[in-house]
Amino acid sequence: MTFERPILVLGSSGQLGHAFREEFGETKNVIFLTSADLNLAKTDEIEVCLNLINPRLIINCAAYTAVDKAESEPELVIKINGKAPGELARWCKTHQAAMIHFSTDYVFDGRLDRPYLEEDPTGPLGVYGQSKLMGEQLIRQHLQEHLIFRISWVFSSVGNNFVKTMLRLGAERESLKIVSDQIGSPTYALDVAQLVLRIGGVGGLNIANSEFPFGTYHLHNQGETSWFDFAQNIFSIAKELGVGIKVNEVSPTSTAEFAAPAPRPLNSRMNMGLLQKAFGVEMPKWQDSLKSCIVELQKK
């Protein structure tokens, strides 16, 4: 008796992985692994694990995302974000499997005065962006049947993210300074999972089509903002929903004044025209998804 090969979701305890777990629900033949189950820094263990599971589709949500800490441990970051995706893609090529992978706006240097297109030159400023770009390049080198989604400013009701940090600080402090000269688009993890599964079709059947438009796409919620305005919206919605917010003064500051260890792109805006043209899909507005996220947080 033969059984259908499963779908494998890596990094299932993170923001994206948790969202996919929610969206798949009780769907059979989907396997979820956390970083404790498969440590992508140990690249020699990847092939062994994949041979045991033999997936037909890998959804790689696993990543090293501590942007500032990445500057002090580049070798580890390169293993997880760069070399490991290449090994996953290499295995997929050998075993006739497809791969969905998530990259970042940090592959760009942020110096353009318009939203980035997929084909625009890359130029990551720090270790995190460099590692994610390496992952992209190795996937393309080894596997044609891939989808790479570049996402930005991810938030959700789980894990560490800007929304949860602002709600915590907003409840503790009366005044805050927030960077105002970085512009981008927030991305709600649950919206990502829903759209990606809609693109892939039930059980990934669309991806099995030989005419499927594989490639690299930009993906985030509609609209753009600064971290400063994002924070203002978080506090406004939280107060509207009756969340206890103490902060009454939010002041703008610059990236230079904030002086984080890792450099950030000032322009993280990405054009989603290619995604909309290829699949006929649209993401919700980030303000609507932000409200949904805060409502979800209040249930926890």
Side-chain angles (χ1 to χ4, degrees), residues 112-117 120 224 267-272:
L112 277 187
D113 59 358
R114 57 163 174 78
Y116 280 89
L117 300 171
D120 280 327
E224 58 188 51
N267 173 26
S268 285
R269 297 174 298 159
M270 296 187 292
N271 188 305
M272 288 195 296

Side-chain angles (χ1 to χ4, degrees), residues 56-108:
R56 58 190 168 89
L57 171 64
I58 297 174
I59 302 177
N60 183 31
C61 303
Y64 183 113
T65 58
V67 175
D68 288 325
K69 191 177 179 183
E71 296 296 308
S72 63
E73 45 187 16
E75 291 185 4
L76 176 62
V77 183
I78 290 295
K79 285 180 180 178
I80 296 173
N81 291 349
K83 295 179 180 179
E87 292 303 309
L88 295 172
R90 189 196 303 271
W91 187 93
C92 286
K93 177 64 176 178
T94 304
H95 296 83
Q96 292 75 54
M99 180 176 174
I100 295 174
H101 178 74
F102 296 94
S103 189
T104 174
D105 56 296
Y106 275 56
V107 299
F108 298 114

Side-chain angles (χ1 to χ4, degrees), residues 90-265:
R90 189 196 303 271
W91 187 93
C92 286
K93 177 64 176 178
T94 304
H95 296 83
Q96 292 75 54
M99 180 176 174
I100 295 174
H101 178 74
F102 296 94
S103 189
T104 174
D105 56 296
Y106 275 56
V107 299
F108 298 114
D109 62 17
R111 294 190 174 98
L112 277 187
D113 59 358
R114 57 163 174 78
Y116 280 89
L117 300 171
E118 284 81 354
E119 65 269 21
D120 280 327
T122 53
L125 301 175
V127 172
Y128 170 70
Q130 292 162 5
S131 70
K132 294 298 285 185
L133 180 59
M134 175 188 289
E136 286 190 14
Q137 293 169 334
L138 289 175
I139 290 170
R140 296 190 194 103
Q141 177 182 327
H142 295 306
L143 181 68
Q144 180 179 348
E145 294 79 12
H146 70 264
L147 283 170
I148 296 173
F149 293 104
R150 290 176 179 151
I151 57 179
S152 58
W153 296 21
V154 180
F155 68 96
S156 73
S157 62
V158 302
N160 298 317
N161 59 71
F162 186 75
V163 173
K164 292 180 69 176
T165 298
M166 287 300 103
L167 290 174
R168 175 176 57 81
L169 293 178
E172 296 172 351
R173 304 181 187 179
E174 293 186 353
S175 64
L176 289 170
K177 281 188 174 184
I178 309 294
V179 170
S180 62
D181 58 355
Q182 295 176 32
I183 307 298
S185 297
T187 308
Y188 188 32
L190 198 59
D191 290 337
V192 171
Q194 290 172 349
L195 185 138
V196 169
L197 292 183
R198 189 157 79 245
I199 287 173
V202 178
L205 290 180
N206 290 352
I207 292 177
N209 187 329
S210 60
E211 301 299 318
F212 189 84
F214 290 106
T216 300
Y217 297 93
H218 292 166
L219 175 59
H220 52 73
N221 284 94
Q222 290 190 53
E224 58 188 51
T225 187
S226 67
W227 290 116
F228 174 77
D229 288 334
F230 193 15
Q232 296 275 49
N233 275 267
I234 292 168
F235 298 138
S236 176
I237 292 172
K239 290 176 182 178
E240 175 190 328
L241 294 173
V243 180
I245 295 296
K246 182 178 180 180
V247 68
N248 53 37
E249 181 183 2
V250 183
S251 305
T253 188
S254 67
T255 299
E257 183 180 352
F258 191 73
R264 265 76 168 170

Side-chain angles (χ1 to χ4, degrees), residues 195 198-199 213 217 272-283:
L195 185 138
R198 189 157 79 245
I199 287 173
Y217 297 93
M272 288 195 296
L274 185 62
L275 179 82
Q276 293 162 349
K277 181 179 179 181
F279 301 107
V281 294
E282 286 192 350
M283 288 279 277

